[in-house]
Amino acid sequence: MTSSKLMTRQELMELAALDAFGLLDEYEAALYTRSFHDAPAGVQDEIIELQAELISDESLLPDSQPSPELRQRVLEAVAKAIEAETAHLNPLASIGRQRNAVGDIIGQIPLGRSGQFWRAAAFVLAGAVVVISFFWSEATRHGQTIAQLALIKATSAELKEMIGPTWEDFVGNPNCRWIELRPLDSRQPGMIAVLVNEETNEAFMLAMGLPEDAKPYTLSMQQGGETTDLGEIRSDGLVAARRLDGIDPVKLASAVLLVTGNNGKVLFRSA
Amino acid sequence: MTRQDWLLMHRVAAGDEDAVAELYDRFGALVYKVAQQLLPTRADAEDAVQEVFVRLWKTADRYDPRRAKLVTWVMLIARRHLIDRLRRSAARPVLTTMEGDSAGTQTHTEPERPTQVEERNANLLKRIAQLPELQRTVIERTYLHGYTLREVSEQLEAPLGTIKSALSRGLVRLREQSKSDWAI
């Protein structure tokens, strides 16, 4: 197994146990994962079942039970870890608190890992409570990533009005991919993500904390030297979202996405 | 369960205490058993379980239900953490080749306290004992002592491919034994 050629079905099945127990070395584990994703769905399902069976086989494990107190200790340990991460970011979150901020509702959401942040934010949105704006301040010029959370009340009804009633199903679907667009200028406030589901051919654009502007922002796609406009979005400074119709999600996922402001300047770009 | 599991892990990633509690209620006992299997004392195992759940919170957003069931993911994270812990504690025994020579390359000098771990794993060891010698040795060293396949290959002076297939076959065979035990 020294070449980078994808593994056959037989190899995948043979190494399924080692993969499940984390016994493959880094290179092989990566090759295994690539080969797994390349395998037919039936083989993937077979491997998933086999691995779950093997790893949860309690007859291979000691017959002992944790003390009832352990549950509380575990919950406290996790809460403490979350608190430590929040505390680490608190000085950042307290700079320049924005109008209408309600502060304490979403203090539990850990920052620092933006993918996680977006998902957490989306979860909260889907769950109906809060909208978040998240931006970089002047201090980034000094080499620090400064995040500010401003918390603004919103309701799922408002969000559904913006995007449509399928939002919750869409965001809760494991096939939903997140494409994050990053600001070209670290002082640019706001965050933008495009969410794509290649199975249902649906796509949404979601923006938070984008400055209010009388004119809309434009999302466009750059591929093979060609630029195609995908849609416009208006921001009231808080949250903005829209469905992207008639998009090829596969193309979208492989293209560079850009958001331009009303003066035609590119403000955000995907990786 | 896939979608619910995915949502559960995103709630965990977002620091939702109820979600962490749900995760513990579903997998806490299983994680504890693996910790008991690998670590010398109950206190070590309980400490490790706490650490595993903190690690699960930190990695929750990486869970991909298309790649594995949640139980597989949780146990993988747990085993990796426990093996890291074993390595850090340097409490693994100096192991030998199957002919009895010292493997020579081990840096772990403190002998493991065998009794508690072996007592707890008596059933497993009984079943492992029925396997061919190479499969038995490889399973004990990787599955119970957390050695990598490469380390075992060096200890036993056997090709890596041989070790790999011995382990794979041994684990599947143990699983088959366990299935037939249940069937009886």
Side-chain angles (χ1 to χ4, degrees):
Chain A
M1 215 72 66
T2 49
S3 78
S4 60
K5 202 177 145 199
L6 293 180
M7 293 176 184
T8 62
R9 178 190 179 279
Q10 195 187 343
E11 287 168 327
L12 281 169
M13 296 309 289
E14 271 176 15
L15 295 179
L18 275 59
D19 177 60
F21 286 107
L23 292 167
L24 295 175
D25 64 33
E26 208 176 318
Y27 169 78
E28 267 192 328
L31 179 59
Y32 191 91
T33 296
R34 279 210 315 278
S35 309
F36 173 91
H37 286 304
D38 194 61
V43 174
Q44 292 183 356
D45 290 345
E46 211 179 330
I47 291 168
I48 287 173
E49 285 299 327
L50 173 68
Q51 290 186 322
E53 251 186 48
L54 279 167
I55 206 140
S56 58
D57 182 358
E58 295 203 34
S59 69
L60 300 177
L61 298 171
D63 187 20
S64 48
Q65 289 297 325
S67 64
E69 299 78 44
L70 184 59
R71 184 180 192 272
Q72 192 52 35
R73 285 171 56 196
V74 165
L75 298 185
E76 280 169 11
V78 176
K80 208 171 153 187
I82 293 170
E83 203 180 296
E85 186 167 306
T86 308
H88 176 65
L89 290 159
N90 263 349
L92 312 180
S94 64
I95 298 170
R97 205 170 266 275
Q98 236 186 8
R99 67 201 157 92
N100 296 334
V102 292
D104 54 355
I105 302 173
I106 206 162
Q108 301 306 313
I109 293 183
L111 302 178
R113 287 166 287 166
S114 59
Q116 180 176 322
F117 173 84
W118 273 105
R119 284 187 185 279
F123 184 81
V124 173
L125 290 170
V129 201
V130 171
V131 168
I132 300 153
S133 76
F134 179 75
F135 61 89
W136 277 264
S137 84
E138 282 281 315
T140 48
R141 286 191 295 172
H142 306 292
Q144 293 170 290
T145 302
I146 299 293
Q148 178 178 12
L149 259 183
L151 309 169
I152 302 104
K153 261 190 181 170
T155 65
S156 65
E158 283 168 328
L159 198 72
K160 280 182 185 173
E161 203 176 303
M162 280 189 255
I163 305 180
T166 57
W167 167 247
E168 284 177 21
D169 282 341
F170 177 80
V171 82
N173 188 318
N175 293 312
C176 170
R177 288 192 53 220
W178 291 72
I179 304 169
E180 189 177 347
L181 280 77
R182 294 195 171 271
L184 298 189
D185 181 340
S186 58
R187 289 165 296 174
Q188 168 68 45
M191 285 186 81
I192 300 178
V194 171
L195 292 75
V196 187
N197 187 327
E198 289 177 15
E199 281 195 355
T200 61
N201 279 345
E202 284 181 297
F204 292 100
M205 177 184 183
L206 177 63
M208 293 184 190
L210 210 55
E212 190 171 359
D213 200 317
K215 291 187 180 170
Y217 294 84
T218 306
L219 173 71
S220 54
M221 173 174 89
Q222 218 172 46
Q223 203 173 36
E226 270 185 36
T227 304
T228 317
D229 285 353
L230 301 177
E232 292 181 338
I233 195 165
R234 286 182 188 277
S235 174
D236 61 359
L238 309 179
V239 68
R242 65 160 289 170
R243 178 189 284 276
L244 299 170
D245 292 314
I247 305 286
D248 177 350
V250 178
K251 261 192 190 169
L252 196 66
S254 60
V256 172
L257 300 179
L258 306 168
V259 167
T260 46
N262 61 30
N263 57 1
K265 190 179 166 195
V266 177
L267 303 174
F268 292 84
R269 183 191 161 92
S270 64
Chain B
M1 206 56 168
T2 306
R3 182 165 180 252
Q4 287 95 316
D5 285 348
W6 182 83
L7 285 171
L8 173 67
M9 292 311 274
H10 282 86
R11 285 169 56 212
V12 170
D16 177 336
E17 282 177 30
D18 291 341
V20 178
E22 188 183 330
L23 190 69
Y24 179 85
D25 292 339
R26 281 178 60 189
F27 302 112
L30 202 55
V31 171
Y32 176 75
K33 286 180 181 192
V34 191
Q36 275 269 281
Q37 184 168 62
L38 292 166
L39 301 175
T41 68
R42 192 180 176 93
D44 285 335
E46 294 203 340
D47 286 350
V49 173
Q50 293 174 55
E51 292 161 7
V52 166
F53 276 86
V54 170
R55 196 152 164 174
L56 283 167
W57 161 65
K58 286 183 177 167
T59 55
D61 62 335
R62 282 165 33 200
Y63 169 61
D64 179 358
R66 293 165 300 182
R67 178 67 180 82
K69 286 197 175 176
L70 185 53
V71 65
T72 311
W73 169 260
V74 168
M75 294 296 275
L76 180 65
I77 298 287
R79 280 193 67 87
R80 278 188 183 151
H81 182 78
L82 293 165
I83 286 165
D84 286 350
R85 206 174 201 269
L86 270 179
R87 287 170 184 273
R88 281 200 307 271
S89 72
R92 296 185 302 173
V94 174
L95 297 177
T96 58
T97 64
M98 291 214 294
E99 286 73 35
D101 307 326
S102 165
T105 55
Q106 296 304 308
T107 53
H108 315 292
T109 50
E110 258 181 64
E112 186 183 47
R113 279 170 288 172
T115 46
Q116 287 170 305
V117 174
E118 280 175 12
E119 271 168 29
R120 278 197 301 266
N121 290 309
N123 281 341
L124 175 62
L125 291 170
K126 213 184 289 173
R127 284 165 54 188
I128 290 177
Q130 295 168 32
L131 297 174
E133 188 179 7
L134 181 62
Q135 289 181 14
R136 184 173 73 230
T137 311
V138 174
I139 286 184
E140 280 174 3
R141 294 186 186 194
T142 53
Y143 189 79
L144 291 176
H145 298 299
Y147 286 99
T148 65
L149 292 171
R150 204 167 293 280
E151 283 171 332
V152 176
S153 153
E154 283 165 12
Q155 289 161 7
L156 300 181
E157 294 166 5
L160 188 58
T162 308
I163 300 299
K164 210 182 290 174
S165 41
L167 177 59
S168 183
R169 282 185 196 143
L171 287 171
V172 171
R173 207 152 155 176
L174 280 179
R175 173 68 193 144
E176 280 161 6
Q177 274 181 15
S178 140
K179 269 186 176 169
S180 58
D181 287 353
W182 281 106
I184 291 168

